[in-house]
Amino acid sequence: ARPRHLGGGAARGGAGVSVEPTKGERAKKKLVDATANLLRRQGYHATGLSAIVDESGAPRGSLYFYFPGGKDELASAALRASGEQWRARIQAAIAGLTELGSAIDAIIAVLADELEGSGWANGCPVAPVALEATSEPVRATIVEHFARWLALSEAQLVAFGVPADRARELAVVALSMVEGALMMARVLRSREPLVAVGRALRALVAREPPAHA
C-alpha cells in the first residue's frame, strides 16, 4: 500500500492535472524552506530575517508581503512544513511492515542516516526552537507538532497490535527516548545513542502482551 503522507494536498487544476507553481508560490516556498533549514540547524534566536532572505534567494520585500506577521508567522509555517515532511519520511520508511520491531529498526535507520548524512546537523526539525523561549504562536506550533507525533505514534502502535490502553503511554516513552537520542547523537556525532534507543524500544515492546492475548 502506498504510504499516506500527512499534509499533502490535491494538485491544483483537478485530478491528474499538474499545474506549475506561480512565481509568488515559488518565492514563498523558498522562504519557508530556508527558514526551516536555519531553524533546524541553529534555532530561533540565531536565525535573523536577513539570513533567511540571503539563504532563500527570495526578493527581500517578499518576506513581509507573504508573511505580514514577520518572523513568528514565517517560523511557524516553516516548523509546520518541516514537521510534516519528517512525518512523511517516517511513514514511508515503515510502509508495508507488519512487525513492530522491524518498524522500530526502520525508523532508527532513517533518523540516523539523515543525521549522519547532514554532518550531524539535521536532528528533530523543531527541537532547537522548542528548547528556546519563543512567542506564544511559535510555541503553539511546536506543541501541535508533538501532539500530532504522539497521536500518530499511538495509532501506529495500536495498528501493530499494542493494546489501546497501553499505546498512549508507550508513544510518550518512545518519542521522549528518540528525541533525547537525537540530541545526544548530534552532540556526540555518533549513531550510538539512536542505535541504543532502538534496541531498548525493541525490548520494551517485546514485553507488551498482544491486544487479543
Side-chain angles (χ1 to χ4, degrees):
R2 181 176 298 174
R4 175 175 172 261
H5 287 207
L6 297 179
R12 292 180 299 116
V17 178
S18 177
V19 179
E20 288 295 317
T22 65
K23 182 179 178 181
E25 288 170 337
R26 290 195 299 270
K28 187 174 182 179
K29 185 177 186 304
K30 284 181 180 180
L31 288 166
V32 170
D33 290 347
T35 304
N37 289 332
L38 290 168
L39 293 177
R40 190 177 197 181
R41 291 170 181 266
Q42 62 191 36
Y44 182 85
H45 294 301
T47 299
L49 295 180
S50 294
I52 292 171
V53 171
D54 291 343
E55 176 88 1
S56 69
R60 185 167 295 272
S62 64
L63 193 152
Y64 281 102
F65 179 79
Y66 295 113
F67 299 96
K71 184 179 176 181
D72 281 355
E73 184 180 354
L74 177 52
S76 294
L79 291 168
R80 196 169 290 113
S82 59
E84 289 174 351
Q85 291 164 8
W86 211 43
R87 283 188 290 273
R89 284 196 293 276
I90 298 299
Q91 288 188 288
I94 65 174
L97 298 180
T98 58
E99 197 267 321
L100 182 52
S102 298
I104 291 170
D105 291 344
I107 291 169
I108 293 297
V110 166
L111 297 178
D113 288 347
E114 181 172 2
L115 183 57
E116 184 174 10
S118 68
W120 310 104
N122 289 345
C124 171
V126 307
V129 180
L131 296 173
E132 298 178 281
T134 56
S135 68
E136 184 55 30
V138 175
R139 192 194 73 83
T141 302
I142 295 168
V143 170
E144 175 190 327
H145 167 84
F146 283 116
R148 291 190 67 185
W149 257 121
L150 286 172
L152 179 62
S153 299
E154 182 179 357
Q156 204 70 63
L157 286 167
V158 171
F160 276 115
V162 173
D165 62 348
R166 289 284 298 141
R168 173 70 181 189
E169 182 175 328
L170 282 175
V172 172
V173 170
L175 184 56
S176 300
M177 291 172 69
V178 168
E179 286 290 339
L182 280 167
M183 182 182 70
M184 285 190 65
R186 184 178 180 184
V187 171
L188 299 176
R189 295 176 174 266
S190 169
R191 300 169 71 100
E192 182 184 7
L194 283 163
V195 173
V197 161
R199 285 198 299 265
L201 285 173
R202 253 187 172 274
L204 181 64
V205 300
R207 294 197 296 267
E208 290 294 321
H212 303 292

